[in-house]
C-alpha cells in the first residue's frame, strides 16, 4: 500500500539556523505550501516569503518544487514592512483581473502549474526588484499576452487534475464497444467485476445502461450528447486512489443492478430512474481526495465557500451542473423547464445525501417510513432514493471478496495521504485514517457491522430479494474480517510474549 514517493515533497528549511522539515502532497496548491512554510518558520500564515537556495537564487514555491536535503536547506526570507505595499497592491489588481477573466471563461479557480509558475516569476520581480511604473506596464503587457495565449489554447488540456469542463476528446475517438450478451447480463448483477475494464469500456457500459433503461428513448436524449457528457464526466474525476472514475462507475453499476433486482421501474417514474442514475454518475465529481473533515479543519476554499456544510458534496453538485450548462454536454436540453427543475432538485438532493455526516439522520427517517411505505407519497419516495444512493456509494463489500478487497487498499491509501498531510499541517487526525493505528480488519469490521448491514437490512424490509445477493455477502464479509482480526490479535500476542521473554532474558544476564 502507501501512496508512492512521487506523491509527496519533502523540503528542509533553514529558520534562523534551525532546520525544519516540511512534508506536503503534490496536490497542495502553492498557497497551501506557502502557509505550511510560514507555520514552520514561526511566521503568520499571510506573511509574504521567498525561498533562497545555497547560491542565493530564488526557489519557486509550488507543488512541483524538488526535494532538497538537510545539508542543503532553503533559507526563508520574510518580506516585511510597508515598502512593498503599493507595488503589491498594483500587482494584486493585475492578478485579480486575470483570475476573474479565467473564472468567467472556464469556471475554475486554479490555473495549471505552468501558468501559476509564470505569474509567480512576475510576482517575485515585484517583491525583490521593486518595480518601476514602466516595468509594471510591461508586466501588464506580459499578462495580457499570457491571457491571449491561453484563450487560443482553450481546447487543450490545461487544467490540472482533470478539472476540464469540456471533453478532452471528441466522440469519434471514443470507440463504441459492442458489449457481448455475457457482459450485458453480468452488468445487471452486484457480482459484476469492475476491475476488468478500461475507461472507454466503462464509458460504453454506462452508455448502454442509459439506453437499456429506456432513458434515451423516453426523454429524447441525443445519443451523441450522451457520449460527450459521459466523456466530460470521466475527465472531471481526478486520479485519486479511491474517489476516481472507477468508483463512479462502481456506484452507477450497483444502482443499475438494484433497479433490476428491486424492479424499481415498476415502482418509480422514469424521471426518478433518470435522477437515480445521473446522481450516481455525478456524485463524486472533482473529488480532491481529502474529506470534509479535512476541508473544514484546514479552512479550505471549498469549506469557506459552502460555510462548512457538506463542502465536497456541494462542490460535486456544482461541477455536475457546470457540465450540464455546456450545450454539447447537456443531456437534458430537450426537457421543459419544469421537468429540468425537478431533475436538478432531485439530483442535488441525492448527491448531498452521500455526505456520511448525515447517515444517521437519513437512515432514521427511512426506518420511520419503511413499515408503512407508500410509493405514491413523494416524501417517502425521495427518502428511499436517498437511501438507495447511499447503499450504492458504499456497496463495495456487497461484491465478491476478490472485487471488494482491492477497494479497501485504495481507500486506506487515500486515508493515509490525508492523515500524513494533517500531521504535517498540525491538524487533528482521525484514528481510522492513521497508518500507525489502523489495519484492514479494524477498518472494515465496525463499518460493516454498524453502517452497512443495518442499512441494507432496512432496505431488505421493502425489497426482500436483496437478502441473498446483497445482505448475505455483507454478513460473510463481516465474518471473514473478524476471523482475520482474531489471527492478527493472536500473532500480536505471540510477538508481545517474545519481546517480554527477550527483555526478561536480558535482565537475568
Amino acid at each position: 500500500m502507501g501512496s508512492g514517493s512521487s506523491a509527496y515533497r519533502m523540503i528542509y528549511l533553514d529558520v534562523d539556523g534551525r532546520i525544519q522539515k516540511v512534508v506536503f502532497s503534490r496536490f497542495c496548491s502553492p498557497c497551501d505550501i506557502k502557509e505550511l512554510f510560514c507555520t514552520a518558520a514561526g511566521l503568520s500564515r499571510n506573511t509574504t516569503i521567498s525561498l533562497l537556495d545555497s547560491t542565493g537564487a530564488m526557489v519557486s514555491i509550488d507543488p512541483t518544487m524538488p526535494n532538497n536535503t538537510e545539508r542543503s536547506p532553503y533559507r526563508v526570507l520574510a518580506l516585511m514592512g510597508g515598502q512593498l505595499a503599493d507595488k503589491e497592491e498594483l500587482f494584486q489588481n493585475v492578478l485579480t483581473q486575470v483570475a476573474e477573466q479565467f473564472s468567467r471563461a472556464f469556471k475554475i479557480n486554479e490555473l495549471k502549474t505552468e501558468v501559476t509558475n509564470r505569474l509567480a516569476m512576475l510576482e517575485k520581480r515585484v517583491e525583490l526588484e521593486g518595480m518601476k511604473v514602466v516595468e509594471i506596464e510591461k508586466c501588464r503587457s506580459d499578462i495580457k499576452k499570457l491571457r491571449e495565449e491561453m484563450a487560443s489554447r482553450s481546447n487543450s488540456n490545461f487544467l490540472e487534475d482533470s478539472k476540464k469542463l469540456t471533453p478532452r476528446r471528441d466522440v469519434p475517438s471514443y470507440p463504441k464497444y459492442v458489449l457481448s450478451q455475457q457482459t450485458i447480463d453480468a452488468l445487471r448483477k452486484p457480482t459484476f467485476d469492475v476491475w476488468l475494464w478500461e475507461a472507454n469500456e466503462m464509458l460504453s457500459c454506462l452508455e448502454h445502461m442509459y439506453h437499456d433503461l429506456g432513458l434515451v428513448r423516453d426523454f429524447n436524449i441525443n445519443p451523441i450528447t450522451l457520449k460527450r457528457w459521459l466523456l466530460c464526466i470521466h475527465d472531471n474525476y481526478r486520479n485519486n486512489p479511491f474517489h476516481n472514475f472507477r468508483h463512479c462507475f462502481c456506484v452507477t453499476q450497483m444502482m443499475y443492478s438494484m433497479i433490476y433486482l428491486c424492479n424499481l421501474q415498476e415502482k418509480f417514474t422514469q424521471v426518478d430512474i433518470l435522477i437515480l442514475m445521473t446522481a450516481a454518475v455525478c456524485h463524486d465529481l472533482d473529488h480532491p481526495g481529502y474529506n470534509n473533515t479535512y476541508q473544514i479543519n484546514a479552512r479550505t476554499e471549498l469549506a469557506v465557500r459552502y460555510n462548512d456544510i457538506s463542502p465536497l458534496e456541494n462542490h460535486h453538485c456544482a461541477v455536475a451542473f457546470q457540465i450540464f450548462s455546456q450545450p454539447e454536454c447537456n443531456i437534458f436540453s430537450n426537457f421543459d423547464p419544469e421537468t429540468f427543475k425537478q431533475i436538478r432538485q432531485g439530483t442535488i438532493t441525492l448527491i448531498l445525501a452521500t455526505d456520511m455526516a448525515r447517515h444517521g439522520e437519513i437512515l432514521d427517517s427511512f426506518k420511520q417510513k419503511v413499515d408503512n411505505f407508500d410509493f405514491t407519497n413523494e416524501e417517502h419516495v425521495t427518502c428511499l432514493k436517498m437511501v438507495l444512493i447511499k447503499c450504492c456509494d458504499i456497496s463495495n463489500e456487497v461484491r465478491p471478496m476478490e472485487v471488494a478487497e482491492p477497494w479497501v487498499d485504495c481507500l486506506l491509501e487515500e486515508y493515509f495521504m490525508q492523515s500524513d498531510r494533517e500531521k504535517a499541517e498540525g491538524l487533528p487526525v482521525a484514528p481510522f485514517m492513521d497508518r500507525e493505528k489502523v489495519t484492514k480488519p479494524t477498518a472494515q469490521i465496525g463499518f460493516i457491522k454498524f453502517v452497512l448491514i443495518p442499512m441494507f437490512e432496512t432496505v431488505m424490509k421493502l425489497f426482500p430479494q436483496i437478502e441473498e445477493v446483497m445482505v448475505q455477502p455483507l454478513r460473510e464479509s463481516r465474518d471473514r474480517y473478524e476471523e482475520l482480526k482474531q489471527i492478527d490479535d493472536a500473532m500480536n500476542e505471540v510477538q508481545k510474549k517474545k519481546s517480554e521473554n527477550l527483555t526478561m532474558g536480558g535482565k537475568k544476564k
Side-chain angles (χ1 to χ4, degrees):
M1 235 168 355
S3 48
S5 58
S6 62
Y8 293 96
R9 296 287 176 268
M10 189 178 297
I11 302 297
Y12 290 91
L13 303 178
D14 179 350
V15 182
D16 299 328
R18 288 180 298 110
I19 303 299
Q20 293 279 54
K21 182 172 80 170
V22 180
V23 180
F24 56 87
S25 160
R26 62 187 172 85
F27 298 110
C28 281
S29 70
C31 184
D32 289 339
I33 298 165
K34 184 191 79 77
E35 288 188 358
L36 275 176
F37 289 165
C38 286
T39 303
L43 301 167
S44 67
R45 288 169 66 172
N46 59 357
T47 306
T48 302
I49 61 167
S50 293
L51 295 189
L52 304 179
D53 66 16
S54 55
T55 68
M58 291 205 56
V59 181
S60 174
I61 299 176
D62 65 63
T64 62
M65 64 191 298
N67 296 342
N68 61 355
T69 67
E70 246 179 303
R71 293 184 180 179
S72 58
Y74 297 139
R75 196 156 53 85
V76 181
L77 179 66
L79 300 166
M80 304 290 192
Q83 77 243 28
L84 292 172
D86 294 341
K87 292 158 193 157
E88 282 182 351
E89 187 179 354
L90 264 170
F91 196 80
Q92 281 305 318
N93 288 340
V94 179
L95 288 183
T96 302
Q97 287 170 26
V98 177
E100 285 173 358
Q101 182 80 12
F102 277 104
S103 289
R104 280 197 298 274
F106 303 109
K107 299 188 179 76
I108 57 160
N109 297 310
E110 293 178 53
L111 306 179
K112 196 180 180 190
T113 306
E114 171 195 333
V115 181
T116 309
N117 288 348
R118 288 171 69 176
L119 291 180
M121 284 169 61
L122 296 170
E123 188 174 19
K124 280 163 190 166
R125 283 175 57 199
V126 173
E127 292 172 353
L128 290 181
E129 296 171 17
M131 283 185 165
K132 297 170 187 167
V133 174
V134 176
E135 290 174 311
I136 289 170
E137 284 307 312
K138 171 74 167 60
C139 169
R140 287 181 191 277
S141 169
D142 287 350
I143 289 174
K144 186 181 176 190
K145 283 179 190 167
L146 182 58
R147 193 184 318 170
E148 287 166 356
E149 180 187 330
M150 289 308 297
S152 72
R153 290 167 53 191
S154 60
N155 290 325
S156 67
N157 173 28
F158 80 96
L159 288 177
E160 201 166 36
D161 293 323
S162 302
K163 275 194 175 179
K164 193 109 177 88
L165 290 174
T166 53
R168 288 198 288 259
R169 303 156 285 167
D170 206 354
V171 171
S173 63
Y174 163 15
K176 168 69 177 169
Y177 287 86
V178 179
L179 302 181
S180 69
Q181 192 56 48
Q182 185 183 7
T183 300
I184 287 169
D185 294 342
L187 203 54
R188 293 184 177 185
K189 295 173 183 160
T191 50
F192 188 78
D193 189 343
V194 295
W195 295 105
L196 298 178
W197 312 91
E198 297 298 327
N200 280 347
E201 295 170 316
M202 290 188 279
L203 286 165
S204 283
C205 287
L206 291 171
E207 189 185 344
H208 168 80
M209 294 174 201
Y210 271 73
H211 282 278
D212 185 50
L213 291 168
L215 301 175
V216 176
R217 178 196 63 229
D218 293 353
F219 296 115
N220 194 22
I221 294 171
N222 182 327
I224 301 296
T225 306
L226 177 66
K227 280 175 175 282
R228 281 208 196 92
W229 172 66
L230 288 170
L231 272 176
C232 198
I233 290 293
H234 169 270
D235 290 349
N236 280 277
Y237 273 90
R238 301 198 198 186
N239 293 322
N240 298 315
F242 184 92
H243 290 101
N244 51 37
F245 178 68
R246 195 176 299 277
H247 168 67
C248 148
F249 176 72
C250 261
V251 174
T252 311
Q253 187 272 324
M254 189 62 75
M255 181 66 79
Y256 177 70
S257 63
M258 286 195 87
I259 288 168
Y260 277 102
L261 191 59
C262 303
N263 302 312
L264 292 183
Q265 286 188 294
E266 294 175 11
K267 312 278 188 185
F268 285 168
T269 66
Q270 279 291 78
V271 169
D272 286 327
I273 299 294
L274 181 64
I275 288 169
L276 282 169
M277 289 294 291
T278 305
V281 169
C282 299
H283 84 284
D284 268 333
L285 275 167
D286 196 41
H287 194 298
Y290 301 93
N291 69 13
N292 279 330
T293 303
Y294 173 81
Q295 305 296 327
I296 292 165
N297 287 341
R299 301 175 190 171
T300 64
E301 184 190 345
L302 281 183
V304 171
R305 181 185 304 159
Y306 295 112
N307 305 309
D308 295 352
I309 300 165
S310 305
L312 290 180
E313 290 73 23
N314 273 294
H315 180 59
H316 307 324
C317 292
V319 175
F321 283 93
Q322 282 174 354
I323 292 171
F324 287 129
S325 73
Q326 321 240 355
E328 67 272 21
C329 297
N330 184 10
I331 59 171
F332 303 138
S333 59
N334 294 324
F335 286 55
D336 62 81
E338 200 50 47
T339 310
F340 175 76
K341 186 178 173 184
Q342 183 187 348
I343 289 166
R344 174 171 158 79
Q345 190 52 61
T347 304
I348 290 170
T349 298
L350 296 205
I351 293 175
L352 292 180
T354 61
D355 182 355
M356 284 304 292
R358 298 181 57 204
H359 177 78
E361 158 216 333
I362 292 168
L363 188 57
D364 287 347
S365 175
F366 181 61
K367 282 177 175 173
Q368 290 166 16
K369 299 172 176 64
V370 72
D371 291 330
N372 298 294
F373 197 85
D374 179 2
F375 279 97
T376 63
N377 182 317
E378 191 180 336
E379 189 187 334
H380 283 215
V381 169
T382 297
C383 189
L384 172 58
K385 286 190 294 184
M386 290 163 80
V387 170
L388 287 173
I389 196 168
K390 283 175 59 56
C391 285
C392 295
D393 188 22
I394 53 177
S395 62
N396 286 325
E397 289 301 328
V398 166
R399 299 181 186 275
M401 181 194 77
E402 63 275 12
V403 180
E405 189 168 3
W407 282 114
V408 185
D409 293 331
C410 294
L411 186 60
L412 288 179
E413 184 175 343
E414 200 165 293
Y415 280 173
F416 296 159
M417 273 174 54
Q418 175 169 321
S419 60
D420 290 349
R421 182 170 178 174
E422 285 167 333
K423 288 172 187 175
E425 294 179 7
L427 297 172
V429 177
F432 70 88
M433 288 189 163
D434 192 334
R435 66 172 75 241
E436 309 296 329
K437 297 177 182 173
V438 75
T439 64
K440 273 161 73 166
T442 57
Q444 291 301 94
I445 292 168
F447 189 67
I448 296 169
K449 281 173 73 171
F450 303 115
V451 177
L452 288 175
I453 290 176
M455 180 164 67
F456 276 86
E457 284 183 342
T458 309
V459 174
M460 190 176 81
K461 290 184 177 180
L462 208 54
F463 303 108
Q465 60 267 49
I466 75 165
E467 180 167 22
E468 186 184 343
V469 289
M470 300 186 96
V471 180
Q472 197 51 39
L474 287 176
R475 293 169 180 156
E476 288 166 10
S477 180
R478 172 202 60 200
D479 295 345
R480 178 173 157 269
Y481 278 114
E482 284 185 333
E483 283 173 21
L484 285 173
K485 185 175 184 300
Q486 286 174 359
I487 293 167
D488 281 357
D489 290 347
M491 288 175 71
N492 289 338
E493 193 60 35
V494 169
Q495 201 60 43
K496 188 179 168 189
K497 282 182 179 170
K498 271 187 185 174
S499 300
E500 285 172 358
N501 289 341
L502 284 170
T503 308
M504 292 298 289
K507 281 180 180 174
K508 283 175 185 174
K509 285 178 188 176

